[in-house]
Amino acid sequence: MIETVDLHFGYGDQSVLRGVDFTAQSAAVTVLLGRNGAGKSSLLKQFNGLLEPDRGHVEIGGERLEYDSDSLKAVRRRVGFVFQQPEDQLVAPTVEQDVAFGPHNMEGGEAKSVSRTLERVGLAGYEDRLCSRLSNGERKRVALAGVLAMNPDYVVLDEPTAGLDGEGTRALVDLIRGLTDEGITFVVSTHYPGFASAVGDAFTVLDDGEIAYRGATLEGIDAERYGLRRFGV
């Protein structure tokens, strides 16, 4: 599992996360909900060392995360991170080049083939296409494929429905559920309870940097109180 213990984090004098105890069970989809500015992205970035806590710690598979260079390389092979905007992640002109970039530069570990990985995300035959010519949903899938090519145990998705229409969101739900059935652990952030309920196995609500709710259902959650938006899937 992914776990944080009494995790505190801030930017300068601004406290963002305060005493967060978060758990994501293995081979399941844990959804992190909260309004914009609740601290969701800052928490997600703790899971593979993109950010380091001021106090408390992170555990991945029962092992405490350390922040030396070798430890960070190892955890980033295990925990893949997909940013909200694919433009922040895509680094190569063509789909094949982009998906192959991470495995080509990875030290140790087994890389998945580009063609097999693209097939997993519904982009078979896209190898020679230009990333700049793809739709927003297709670019998101390429970014996810680049992470999956590293053969991670865990995948973190930061606001994956941003810019997707209803059809694209439903396709994303099917994709995540299928990959979870293959044994991948997902942590997904959103402020849409409809999407969360469709994709999630467990739910955590973050409010003003603190855990406000955790459970196996969102039934009875006051969406307005936590700044969540009504959005069907």
Side-chain angles (χ1 to χ4, degrees), residues 14-221:
Q14 181 185 2
S15 178
V16 176
L17 301 171
R18 292 181 289 279
V20 173
D21 295 315
F22 174 88
T23 300
Q25 296 292 339
S26 296
V29 181
T30 300
V31 183
L32 179 65
L33 298 103
R35 71 181 78 244
N36 288 335
K40 299 190 303 297
S41 294
S42 295
L43 179 57
L44 295 183
K45 289 177 181 178
Q46 306 284 337
F47 299 158
N48 73 344
L50 289 171
L51 294 176
E52 182 176 353
D54 299 323
R55 195 164 83 243
H57 68 271
V58 179
E59 295 182 8
I60 307 296
E63 298 181 5
R64 184 163 175 161
L65 177 57
E66 304 293 343
Y67 297 89
D68 60 277
S69 178
D70 289 342
S71 296
L72 289 175
K73 287 179 182 177
V75 77
R76 288 169 186 169
R77 287 196 294 268
R78 298 189 66 194
V79 183
F81 194 102
V82 182
F83 290 87
Q84 177 177 342
Q85 301 298 334
E87 292 76 13
D88 294 335
Q89 196 151 357
L90 303 182
V91 296
T94 71
V95 170
E96 181 175 24
Q97 290 170 332
D98 196 272
V99 176
F101 180 85
H104 179 74
N105 290 279
M106 180 174 64
E107 298 177 9
E110 178 188 358
K112 298 291 186 182
S113 74
V114 171
S115 295
R116 180 171 180 269
T117 302
L118 288 174
E119 185 176 354
R120 292 173 82 191
V121 301
L123 294 179
Y126 275 59
E127 286 87 346
D128 295 330
R129 297 200 185 189
L130 294 174
C131 294
S132 60
R133 296 293 186 90
L134 300 177
S135 69
N136 183 55
E138 289 169 340
R139 289 196 297 272
K140 285 177 178 285
R141 286 174 179 253
V142 172
L144 175 57
V147 167
L148 293 176
M150 305 282 284
N151 199 28
D153 298 315
Y154 311 88
V155 174
V156 178
L157 302 177
D158 190 7
E159 298 282 0
T161 63
L164 295 183
D165 59 15
E167 182 179 352
T169 299
R170 287 188 290 271
L172 179 64
V173 169
D174 292 341
L175 175 59
I176 293 172
R177 294 308 319 178
L179 292 169
T180 305
D181 290 342
E182 295 180 20
I184 296 176
T185 298
F186 278 89
V187 182
V188 181
S189 74
T190 186
H191 43 247
Y192 293 121
F195 167 68
S197 295
V199 77
D201 299 300
F203 307 92
T204 297
V205 177
L206 193 66
D207 187 44
D208 197 23
E210 298 179 343
I211 300 294
Y213 169 84
R214 59 168 60 88
T217 177
L218 289 176
E219 186 175 352
I221 285 291

